[in-house]
Amino acid sequence: MSWYLTIRSDADYSRFTPTAPLVEFVAAISELRQTGPVTFEAAAGQPWVAVILAMCGPDGSYASDGAFVPTINVVELVCSDSADPMWYKALASRIAMFLGWSAFEDREERQI
């Protein structure tokens, strides 16, 4: 099973950020490796994770084919139930701090 951490500026997903600086930042995180223009996964030896940079609607719905988009308004972490949740929360917090946004647990809509 998996669970989700969502990084966003606000509940309406109203703020966007340029994608290129964020890709550069996330690519420099040693726990991750880049798998596409806006997608990442866990580096060897790390807990399983998928990280998706996307553009979504005000309701939080998005579709990503992995193609580069110039601006994004959501970062989604797909996390494994079988690994330490604190590892995922720390990773999400680092990305959120870089953006000046907040990270939320989707299943409980609780800010981390």
Side-chain angles (χ1 to χ4, degrees), residues 10 20 23 30 34 44-46 64-65 68 71 74 81 85 90 99 106:
D10 56 53
V23 167
S30 62
Q34 193 166 0
Q46 300 299 320
S64 176
D65 62 3
F68 185 84
T71 60
V74 68
D81 273 337
L99 292 168
D106 270 2

Side-chain angles (χ1 to χ4, degrees), residues 1 3 14 17 22-23 40 46-47 52 59-60 67 78-79 83 93 112:
M1 294 289 297
W3 58 285
S14 65
T17 192
L22 179 58
V23 167
F40 298 83
Q46 300 299 320
I52 304 159
D59 65 351
V78 184
C79 311
S93 293
I112 62 167

Side-chain angles (χ1 to χ4, degrees), residues 3-111:
W3 58 285
Y4 300 85
L5 288 170
T6 301
I7 302 167
R8 64 182 195 224
S9 64
D10 56 53
D12 297 324
Y13 300 87
S14 65
R15 287 186 27 214
F16 292 78
T17 192
T19 305
L22 179 58
V23 167
E24 186 176 319
F25 174 79
V26 176
I29 296 174
S30 62
E31 295 91 347
L32 300 174
R33 69 177 196 87
Q34 193 166 0
T35 57
V38 291
T39 57
F40 298 83
E41 68 182 17
Q46 300 299 320
W48 184 91
V49 68
V51 180
I52 304 159
L53 315 180
M55 202 165 30
C56 70
D59 65 351
S61 298
Y62 69 90
S64 176
D65 62 3
F68 185 84
V69 291
T71 60
I72 60 104
N73 63 348
V74 68
V75 178
E76 194 79 50
L77 278 72
V78 184
C79 311
S80 171
D81 273 337
S82 64
D84 180 6
M86 293 311 294
W87 184 88
Y88 297 109
K89 291 176 182 179
L91 178 63
S93 293
R94 287 167 57 191
I95 298 169
M97 281 186 11
F98 174 79
L99 292 168
W101 293 358
S102 300
F104 295 85
E105 285 187 64
D106 270 2
R107 59 181 153 189
E108 298 182 21
E109 192 55 32
R110 180 177 40 156
Q111 185 173 354

